[in-house]
Amino acid sequence: MHRYALSAFALALLAGCGKAPPPAVAVAPTVPPPPVLIPAPMPAGARAGMMIPPRRTDGTWATPNRDLSAAGTIWHLRAALNVAALACRGPREATMVAQYNALLAEQKTGLAAAEATLANEFRATVSGDWRDRYDDDMTRLYNFFAQDMARDGFCRAAEATLTDAQGLPAERLAPFAAERLPGLERPFTNFFTAYDRWRSGMLVPAPRAAPPVLRVDIAALG
């Protein structure tokens, strides 16, 4: 009797092992829908018909901060921070002015040397009245950084630059200027790029809606 029961159990096991496994179900990969394209929006601070610099052959914007010598880079950094100390307002206004004045005192020798060298570069390369050309270029430089359409981003960059410039060793002034001047200019060139996209009717991806957030009521689960 026991032998028969065991044999029947073994046959049942063999029968179960002989069944074919269920077929695998192929899952198609999730393909995100193609982006919806819309005309590029007019950037904040823009107005129809406003003038922006032309692009150069390398694709960059023709701003006053192109093709500078080391002396020119230092002096342009000083000009940008001077505009920031005069134009940036808010809770950090007094601190920025104090930091700017401290920078002038700490880097007095290096700044004076940069200005003298830059003036000599104009004297050597400009035919006619080099001083008029120098003054015109400095006016253009100050007016560039004084534009208000990128003021917020410019002031944030200037605030960080002034903070990092405190206690800067004199020998680090030139490399510091080369590192930080592009960041002070970037809010303006970003605006020019955005405005050019709007002006040309360029199509850009529409903002995607954020996925819904699943909220679980822990108290209800308890």
Side-chain angles (χ1 to χ4, degrees):
M1 182 68 178
H2 292 294
R3 183 180 305 165
Y4 174 79
L6 181 61
S7 299
F9 180 71
L11 288 174
L13 285 178
L14 290 175
C17 292
K19 290 181 178 178
V25 178
V27 178
T30 303
V31 178
V36 177
L37 299 180
I38 61 172
M42 178 187 283
R47 60 186 183 278
M50 70 185 300
M51 299 296 295
I52 62 173
R55 284 192 186 271
R56 296 167 21 126
T57 55
D58 62 358
T60 60
W61 295 102
T63 75
N65 302 299
R66 295 291 176 266
D67 305 323
L68 298 176
S69 64
T73 302
I74 293 173
W75 198 244
H76 281 223
L77 177 79
R78 178 207 167 276
L81 296 177
N82 181 219
V83 172
L86 294 171
C88 296
R89 297 291 178 262
R92 293 268 302 166
E93 175 184 348
T95 300
M96 291 179 67
V97 172
Q99 289 177 331
Y100 174 70
N101 289 331
L103 175 66
L104 296 184
E106 293 172 358
Q107 304 295 339
K108 181 178 180 180
T109 300
L111 291 171
E115 182 183 23
T117 300
L118 183 60
N120 286 333
E121 291 171 359
F122 272 79
R123 185 182 290 109
T125 58
V126 175
S127 58
D129 192 340
W130 69 269
R131 174 57 70 177
D132 278 351
R133 171 69 179 277
Y134 179 87
D135 290 343
D136 288 346
D137 279 13
M138 290 301 106
T139 298
R140 179 171 171 249
L141 174 63
Y142 277 84
N143 287 342
F144 174 83
F145 284 115
Q147 297 177 97
D148 61 359
M149 75 286 196
R151 179 71 51 80
D152 290 346
F154 168 65
C155 288
R156 286 193 297 269
E159 179 183 337
T161 300
L162 284 167
T163 298
D164 294 344
Q166 302 307 295
L168 184 73
E171 65 273 13
R172 280 282 304 155
L173 180 59
F176 180 80
E179 293 164 5
R180 304 309 284 265
L181 183 61
L184 292 167
E185 183 189 66
R186 191 168 298 116
F188 300 95
T189 55
N190 285 348
F191 174 87
F192 300 151
T193 300
Y195 182 80
D196 187 55
R197 288 173 177 169
W198 169 80
R199 183 176 59 181
S200 64
M202 181 180 294
L203 297 179
V204 298
R208 291 186 181 274
V213 177
L214 178 62
R215 300 185 183 280
V216 179
D217 188 340
I218 304 297
L221 291 178

